[in-house]
Amino acid sequence: TTILWNDRLVKEEEIHLSVEDRGYQFGDGIYEVIKIYSSLMFTVTEHIDRFYESADKIKLVIPYTKDVLHKMLYDLIEDNQIVDGHVYFQITRGSSPRAHAFPTTATEPVFIAYTVAGERPFEHFEQGVKAKFVEDIRWLRCDIKSLNLLGNVLAKETAQQAGCFEAVQHRGDIVTEGSSSNLYGIKDGVLYTHPTTNLILNGITRRVIMSLCVEIGLPVKEESFTTDQAVAMDEFFMSSTSAEVTPIIQIDDYKIGKGTPGEWTRKLQAAFEARIQQLVTF
Ligand code: PMP
């Protein structure tokens, strides 16, 4: 297995990271995850663009062009012969004597990327998952794909301790997003999802789903909804790079619809599958 360390493909043993790396001490960095299907990266341009946008929002300058980064990720995947799985990458502001403010002298950002082989979670796609309401205690810049994930970590842990797969986070009454996913409800043939404000991550899978809704003729309202409205939805699902379109069949003790994946959700799953096939055939 090789890992990308800055611009070099190396063995893990060769990597040395500073104890004063600002990513390690402050979570001062950003990341991305890209899904690999049949050795190809899905929505790679969108993920690379968002990586640069997140960097920009925290005033971190990535020392490579987008094309160079794309090529490096491609080489990493090829070197590790990944067929199905994902590539994780992050960049931190680098190492400097510990102080909150940005270093005054130029520091080199530290970039790491590695691949993970793995199967898609077909059982979740088929059966759906349970979720738990968790108060959204995160900061007000959830649009940045930052390494500061403590709020998300605590939300997921709370959900999993309760035997649920995902948290349905809400700020007061308003449902925002999952701990690592976007959320959607369908009521009377209309799909509702939180608008892409500072309170959620503008998911790449969410963008794909928005276009699939047009394709399958499902009207979309990018409007927030309440927890009460959430449990009264006919269908509910989550999306992310790894979860794709995963039905949510229960939130807390409330069954959604019949307590099984809904028909529109099934259509979206099929349409999503077709997008993957578009990538892998040619
Ligand atoms: N929201 C949060 C908080 C996430 O961590 C993720 C997964 N990275 C998503 C939404 C979904 O984003 P994407 O579809 O780009 O994976």
Side-chain angles (χ1 to χ4, degrees), residues 259-278:
T260 53
E263 294 204 355
W264 281 113
T265 308
R266 288 288 185 224
K267 282 187 189 161
L268 283 171
Q269 288 180 315
F272 196 88
E273 193 68 47
R275 282 290 171 95
I276 297 170
Q277 290 314 311
Q278 277 175 27

Side-chain angles (χ1 to χ4, degrees), residues 1 19 41 50-51 60 72 81 93 99 101 125-126 137 139-140 154 156 179 186 200 204 207 219 234 237 255 263:
T1 317
V19 294
M41 286 183 276
R50 188 173 64 184
F51 192 58
L60 193 160
M72 293 192 316
Q81 299 187 336
R93 206 180 304 277
F125 299 162
E126 276 312 305
I137 61 164
W139 71 331
L140 297 174
L154 293 174
K156 186 78 155 192
S179 70
I186 300 167
I200 69 161
I204 306 296
R207 301 179 207 178
D234 302 324
F237 68 92
K255 276 196 163 53
E263 294 204 355

Side-chain angles (χ1 to χ4, degrees), residues 31 50 145 152 177 179-182 201 203-205 240-241:
Y31 76 105
R50 188 173 64 184
K145 204 161 168 59
N152 309 62
E177 63 178 341
S179 70
S180 57
S181 61
N182 291 114
L201 184 75
I204 306 296
T205 319
S240 76
T241 293

Side-chain angles (χ1 to χ4, degrees), residues 31-34 43 47 50 138 142 144-146 149 152 166 169 177-184 199-207 209 239-244:
Y31 76 105
E32 278 294 332
V33 181
I34 304 180
T43 54
H47 282 280
R50 188 173 64 184
R138 299 172 304 158
C142 297
I144 303 172
K145 204 161 168 59
S146 139
L149 289 173
N152 309 62
E166 180 57 303
Q169 296 187 99
E177 63 178 341
S179 70
S180 57
S181 61
N182 291 114
L183 299 173
Y184 315 76
L199 298 182
I200 69 161
L201 184 75
N202 186 344
I204 306 296
T205 319
R206 183 187 184 284
R207 301 179 207 178
I209 288 166
S239 82
S240 76
T241 293
S242 54
E244 302 179 14

Side-chain angles (χ1 to χ4, degrees), residues 7-18:
D7 51 1
R8 292 201 297 142
L9 273 176
V10 297
K11 295 268 167 224
E12 184 165 5
E13 307 81 73
E14 295 175 56
I15 299 174
H16 30 99
L17 297 169
S18 168

